[in-house]
Amino acid sequence: GLLVPPEKALIWRGPMLHSVLMQFFQQVEWEPLDYLVIDLPPGTGDAQLTMTQTLAVSGAVIVTTPQEVALADVRKGINMFQEVKVPILGIIENMSYFVCPKCGERTEIFGSGGGERSAKQFAVPLLGQIPLEPGIRAAGDDGMPTMVAHPESETAKVFEEVAGRVAAQLSLANLEH
């Protein structure tokens, strides 16, 4: 978002992406960090390979939605990370359910249980289920994470619980290595 105007496509081949990622990781003057979380697109492409082959990656968190079409990418991603010896910290299921703000009824718009089934299949923890909530989108559009915009909301509590589980799994993975 900072490299080109918002309406312009960023079209990079693998070597260009590799070069920029290496510059980002090696030449940025980072303050001391507790964690550096990198959100990658689904799949097993150049960005994932560049990172796993050149950095000491402590672990991967796989994010999915409940429906089967998303789980195909999950299986491929987990297999890739296992092959390159990156610990899988767990699975987060996004858009797991919607709670109607008027009646309180819970609806699983995209199906249910996909994240849990994948977690069992790969013997990794299900780190949490994030609801589909318009407030998340609205806060993001305003550049304000839900945790900041609505820290007392139920969704913020879910995010906090998930973050705690990720940190705990990362601690366990670091103990094993």
Side-chain angles (χ1 to χ4, degrees):
L2 301 173
L3 300 176
V4 297
E7 67 280 353
K8 184 162 174 45
L10 187 60
I11 303 169
W12 284 350
R13 294 193 181 279
M16 294 167 70
L17 176 61
H18 174 84
S19 201
V20 168
L21 286 173
M22 290 302 89
Q23 187 174 19
F24 180 75
F25 294 121
Q26 295 171 352
Q27 296 177 8
V28 171
E29 291 186 27
W30 296 98
E31 293 292 324
L33 299 173
D34 292 326
Y35 303 99
L36 176 60
V37 177
I38 301 167
D39 184 8
L40 297 172
T44 56
D46 286 333
Q48 291 86 341
L49 289 174
T50 293
M51 288 185 41
T52 59
Q53 292 173 344
T54 58
L55 300 173
V57 178
S58 299
V61 174
I62 307 296
V63 180
T64 188
T65 54
Q67 70 266 44
E68 193 57 40
V69 69
L71 299 173
D73 283 338
V74 165
R75 288 186 283 276
K76 291 174 188 174
I78 288 175
N79 285 327
M80 184 210 70
F81 284 118
Q82 287 175 334
E83 193 169 314
V84 296
K85 308 287 189 265
V86 172
I88 305 297
L89 304 177
I91 295 175
I92 297 172
E93 188 180 83
N94 196 17
M95 299 190 290
S96 292
Y97 57 90
F98 173 76
V99 177
C100 176
K102 293 189 169 105
C103 71
E105 181 180 334
R106 179 178 163 144
T107 304
E108 280 103 9
I109 295 171
F110 298 106
S112 65
E116 186 174 11
R117 284 191 305 278
S118 292
K120 285 180 183 172
Q121 176 185 356
F122 288 97
V124 298
L126 178 63
L127 299 168
Q129 296 173 303
I130 308 294
L132 176 62
E133 181 184 304
I136 296 171
R137 191 247 345 125
D141 285 351
D142 292 339
M144 186 80 60
T146 298
M147 297 295 296
V148 175
H150 308 287
E152 300 303 318
S153 69
E154 287 301 313
T155 301
K157 291 175 187 167
V158 171
F159 277 117
E160 191 171 333
E161 290 169 5
V162 168
R165 290 182 191 123
V166 170
Q169 288 301 120
L170 187 55
S171 293
L172 290 172
N174 286 335
L175 287 175
E176 293 172 2
H177 289 88

